[in-house]
Amino acid sequence: MDSMTLQQPAATPGKKVRAPSGAKAPVRLDEHIVEIISDSGEGAQKCGQSLGSIAAQMGNGIWTTEIIPAEIRPPARSVAGASGNRIRIGSGRVTNGGDKTDLVVAFNEQVLLGRVRADELKPGCTILLESMWRGNGDAAIAQSYAETHERLVAAGYKVYEIPMEQECKAIVSDAKRGKNMFALGMLCQIYSLDLKLATDQIFLTFGKKDRSVIDTNIRLLEAGHRWAREHLDFCYQIPATRPSEAQVVVNGNTALALGVLASGMEICAMYPITPATSASHYLADVFEKVGGVVHQAEDEIAACAFAIGASYAGKCAVTITSGPGYSLKQEGIGLAVMGEIPLVVVNVQRGGPSTGQPTKVEQGDMLAAVFGSHGDAPKVVMAPATIEECFYAIVTARRIAETFNMVVVVLTDAGLATSQQPFPRPQFNEAWLAPPIDQSPVPPGAKPYDWDETTGLARRFIPGQPGGMHTLTGLAHDRDSHVAYDAEINQQSIRARSLKLAAFQKTLKAPPIFGDASGDLLVIGWGSTKGAIEEAVAGLRAKGQKVSSMHIEFLQPLPPGIKEAMSGFRRVLTVEGNWSDRPEDQIIDETNRRYSALAMLLRARYLVDVDCWSEVKGQPIKPGTIREVLLAQLKRIKKAA
């Protein structure tokens, strides 16, 4: 499910199954990380999303991370083909996917090997492994399974062989279509989750299907729950507190789509591209109900042009894409800047360059967003850091775009796009919407680009306004929108468009500091790294380390107060998901080192010696990794003192 609420679904509730009085007592935990992995098409992602929603309804903090293979349909039983979900369940609020995995449900040993080789499992991790392969008719498969099982046990993993195929076939003829719900039942027993909530989740998930489908999935769920209760010698309980206010559990792309609805925008034009497409899928389901239109264009350039045309006509529009599509939109974005047409552009970043890693996370497009386009093309660039912020960022972006007649770029990434987290259900505010378009007659003498000398702002002319007729051009133009190559007029128009950025910057507040305002080390990040950075910083501060962090939402223009904040620390370090050269590489020195994107921006803007650390492994950066990096930095700082 892309969208799930913590309120009880309206569908018919399921039957509650209670554990027998002699059931084993659960072990209490503060948190656990569990994975469900399978070949593509076996429903492991659906199982993980449902588990996360059930835990969230119980009152647990959760963060889900999709495990997506690089290929759309990789070969079955392949090491690189693991598809599934990773769920971090906590007793309190969870802000990121955490470190290594505690428990895995694997539908075959090959996808499991992929996770082992990626070093994603904790030492001694509990593995629930589908046992059907041990007796497979293909001798090579049976041997592979037996050898892998033996090696996993020898490596110290706690491996439980689970006859999922056999158990599911007692209920459905095609066990491949039932294992995910059987696994969900097992996990509900293992983590002491309310089975009634799980059955309600099945009604929500399969509510559009025939009742027989719902009943079959409930039987599979109950069978998995019963099997785990009767055969597994462990179970856990992660304390939960029911939320006092209504919550929603959505992924970042759904939050973006909901933000489009809440902002009052009526047009979304896009071309399908991973990992942005699911935002348009959600909008396609619901947008018409509120008068909106999703336009699927023939390509990225056409999508951008359509959105610009809609905005020029008076409907502020959004176009949603990923890195390669953003590159194709650059010329159109330049037209919107030159014509001073409000436009919201969402770039759900992925690994690059070129086709890169379409299903993997990276923060590689910041500099393209800030400095992209030929010529001087100032635009606002913002980066939400949480799934909740993905919702509010779109509302804010539309207001900025229409207030300043500018392009606003919103940078999210594949990590936020597919991860889920509960947050308070937004309460609609009419201030989010644009006021009615002013179509009153244009006052005599008013010009389409009558730039204010202080702010660069000009009144927005709408086609059809009496007295407002003019020809829009992407060429250099004067205040009347007449093509003009005069040197002074060209400089005047560039100045006006730049002043709008400065005027907007005056409205921003300094980013808050997480921790003390002074110390040994300040860590600065942007986008989806916030939760992991703050968890690492909080852990080090609890041990007496003088480290704080700051997260920057607006990347252009940069908000005030950043230089003053940096001055309170002996060293400043950015942590990012884009490339920076390693100083320890033999060939790298200060004359040729490439810095990560935000570090480069801060060094250039403030002339401060900002260091950087980055990782581009195609997966969210883990708080434990950041913690080790920061410890090494703190040791160097103390050694140099």
Side-chain angles (χ1 to χ4, degrees):
M1 292 289 291
D2 285 331
S3 176
M4 292 172 281
T5 73
L6 294 190
Q7 294 179 332
Q8 295 301 315
T12 306
K15 181 177 67 176
K16 186 169 183 178
V17 177
R18 299 184 181 277
S21 58
K24 62 189 79 62
V27 176
R28 291 173 66 90
L29 302 172
D30 289 331
E31 70 165 45
H32 229 226
I33 299 175
V34 57
E35 291 187 9
I36 306 98
I37 51 172
S38 69
D39 290 333
S40 293
E42 290 189 296
Q45 289 187 6
K46 182 76 70 181
C47 175
Q49 290 164 355
S50 297
L51 179 69
S53 180
I54 295 161
Q57 290 179 66
M58 294 281 291
N60 291 112
I62 64 128
W63 186 283
T64 73
T65 304
E66 286 191 5
I67 300 166
I68 309 174
E71 300 176 61
I72 294 174
R73 183 70 72 169
R77 289 180 46 81
S78 60
V79 172
S83 175
N85 219 307
R86 186 174 192 268
I87 309 94
R88 186 183 186 190
I89 306 173
S91 57
R93 185 168 180 264
V94 176
T95 63
N96 63 90
D99 293 314
K100 295 186 179 183
T101 301
D102 298 288
L103 183 146
V104 181
V105 179
F107 289 11
N108 68 69
E109 85 285 355
Q110 292 301 305
V111 293
L112 177 61
L113 279 176
R115 305 301 289 166
V116 172
R117 292 176 185 177
D119 196 26
E120 288 289 343
L121 310 186
K122 279 185 181 176
C125 173
T126 299
I127 297 171
L128 307 184
L129 180 60
E130 164 64 86
S131 63
M132 63 176 283
W133 309 104
R134 184 178 288 280
N136 193 272
D138 186 325
I141 291 177
Q143 182 179 358
S144 167
Y145 176 89
E147 290 177 353
T148 300
H149 179 274
E150 186 178 335
R151 289 201 303 270
L152 291 169
V153 172
Y157 295 110
K158 300 172 185 175
V159 185
Y160 293 77
E161 295 186 85
I162 314 295
M164 286 188 273
E165 178 88 2
Q166 175 184 322
E167 294 294 320
C168 290
K169 275 193 171 181
I171 300 171
V172 291
S173 57
D174 183 4
K176 189 174 182 180
R177 300 178 64 84
K179 289 182 186 179
N180 61 340
M181 290 299 105
F182 184 88
L184 180 62
M186 288 198 302
L187 291 168
C188 285
Q189 162 62 23
I190 290 169
Y191 290 105
S192 306
L193 300 177
D194 188 340
L195 204 61
K196 181 182 181 300
L197 291 177
T199 56
D200 289 344
Q201 187 64 38
I202 287 175
F203 274 98
L204 183 63
T205 302
F206 300 101
K208 294 182 180 180
K209 296 185 180 293
D210 187 83
R211 178 59 190 252
S212 63
V213 174
I214 296 173
D215 290 343
T216 299
N217 279 284
I218 290 174
R219 289 175 61 201
L220 288 161
L221 174 83
E222 293 175 345
H225 189 274
R226 184 169 53 251
W227 193 95
R229 184 182 59 202
E230 294 173 355
H231 294 88
L232 296 180
D233 59 355
F234 64 93
C235 64
Y236 308 115
Q237 184 178 49
I238 301 171
T241 304
R242 293 277 180 141
S244 58
E245 55 184 333
Q247 305 251 316
V248 293
V249 185
V250 296
N251 65 31
N253 274 358
T254 302
L256 287 173
L258 290 169
V260 171
L261 295 172
S263 72
M265 286 190 283
E266 299 171 73
I267 306 288
C268 172
M270 68 179 293
Y271 181 78
I273 184 170
T274 302
T277 307
S278 66
S280 65
H281 287 171
Y282 184 83
L283 283 173
D285 284 341
V286 301
F287 214 7
E288 279 191 13
K289 297 175 184 177
V290 295
V293 174
V294 176
H295 172 70
Q296 182 171 317
E298 60 266 34
D299 56 42
E300 295 280 6
I301 298 170
C304 190
F306 188 97
I308 292 169
S311 287
Y312 174 60
K315 302 285 188 181
C316 183
V318 60
T319 182
I320 305 175
T321 189
S322 189
Y326 187 81
S327 298
L328 290 168
K329 294 180 191 292
Q330 288 281 19
E331 188 172 2
I333 291 171
L335 170 62
V337 172
M338 178 63 89
E340 300 184 36
I341 300 168
L343 177 68
V344 177
V345 183
V346 178
N347 179 353
V348 185
Q349 301 165 95
R350 71 190 209 187
S354 189
T355 309
Q357 298 188 97
T359 63
K360 306 299 182 183
V361 62
E362 197 171 294
Q363 293 182 306
D365 297 349
M366 181 212 281
L367 296 180
V370 172
F371 299 114
S373 188
H374 46 282
D376 188 67
K379 46 202 165 300
V380 173
V381 180
M382 55 191 301
T386 67
I387 295 165
E388 182 178 16
E389 287 181 13
C390 286
F391 173 85
Y392 290 104
I394 298 298
V395 175
T396 302
R398 186 208 58 75
R399 297 182 68 188
I400 296 168
E402 291 199 320
T403 300
F404 291 87
N405 293 334
M406 294 188 74
V407 174
V408 180
V409 180
V410 180
L411 291 175
T412 72
D413 59 47
L416 287 175
T418 60
S419 296
Q420 295 183 118
Q421 178 195 36
F423 62 87
R425 180 187 291 276
Q427 299 299 310
F428 177 71
N429 186 336
E430 286 193 8
W432 295 348
L433 305 177
I437 296 170
D438 182 4
Q439 291 189 300
S440 61
V442 173
K447 300 177 185 297
Y449 297 101
D450 209 358
W451 298 300
D452 182 274
E453 287 300 315
T454 302
T455 65
L457 296 174
R459 172 177 174 161
R460 182 183 180 189
F461 279 31
I462 302 298
Q465 276 185 287
M469 291 180 290
H470 67 283
T471 300
L472 177 72
T473 176
L475 292 164
H477 53 261
D478 61 15
R479 292 174 183 264
D480 288 306
S481 195
H482 296 153
V483 175
Y485 297 123
D486 177 270
E488 288 303 317
I489 292 175
N490 184 62
Q491 180 157 293
Q492 181 187 51
S493 64
I494 290 175
R495 171 181 175 269
R497 291 191 292 271
S498 185
L499 281 176
K500 289 194 289 185
L501 265 186
F504 173 64
Q505 195 267 355
K506 294 292 186 182
T507 71
L508 298 178
K509 296 180 180 178
I513 295 177
F514 180 78
D516 294 330
S518 61
D520 291 329
L521 180 64
L522 177 66
V523 185
I524 304 182
W526 64 279
S528 63
T529 57
K530 181 178 183 179
I533 289 174
E534 291 189 351
E535 182 172 325
V537 167
L540 290 173
R541 288 179 56 80
K543 295 182 178 180
Q545 298 287 353
K546 296 179 180 179
V547 56
S548 301
S549 67
M550 170 189 285
H551 224 73
I552 299 177
E553 180 183 5
F554 285 95
L555 303 170
Q556 179 161 277
L558 287 167
I562 294 176
K563 186 172 184 178
E564 292 77 6
M566 292 192 293
S567 68
F569 295 84
R570 296 169 65 184
R571 194 148 188 78
V572 178
L573 177 81
T574 67
V575 171
E576 305 178 60
N578 53 69
W579 182 248
S580 61
D581 287 332
R582 299 286 191 259
E584 59 268 24
D585 284 346
Q586 186 175 354
I587 198 173
I588 299 300
D589 57 39
E590 280 304 312
T591 68
N592 63 11
R593 185 186 179 194
R594 293 178 60 212
Y595 284 80
S596 57
L598 180 59
M600 193 182 306
L601 203 61
L602 296 177
R603 290 170 69 90
R605 168 66 68 181
Y606 302 115
L607 302 180
V608 172
D609 184 17
V610 177
D611 200 355
C612 58
W613 178 88
S614 64
E615 184 178 271
V616 285
K617 294 183 176 180
Q619 59 191 17
I621 303 174
K622 293 178 168 54
T625 302
I626 297 173
R627 186 166 53 249
E628 293 305 312
V629 169
L630 302 188
L631 271 174
Q633 284 278 341
L634 289 163
K635 287 178 182 177
R636 283 194 286 270
I637 291 169
K638 290 173 182 177
K639 188 176 180 180

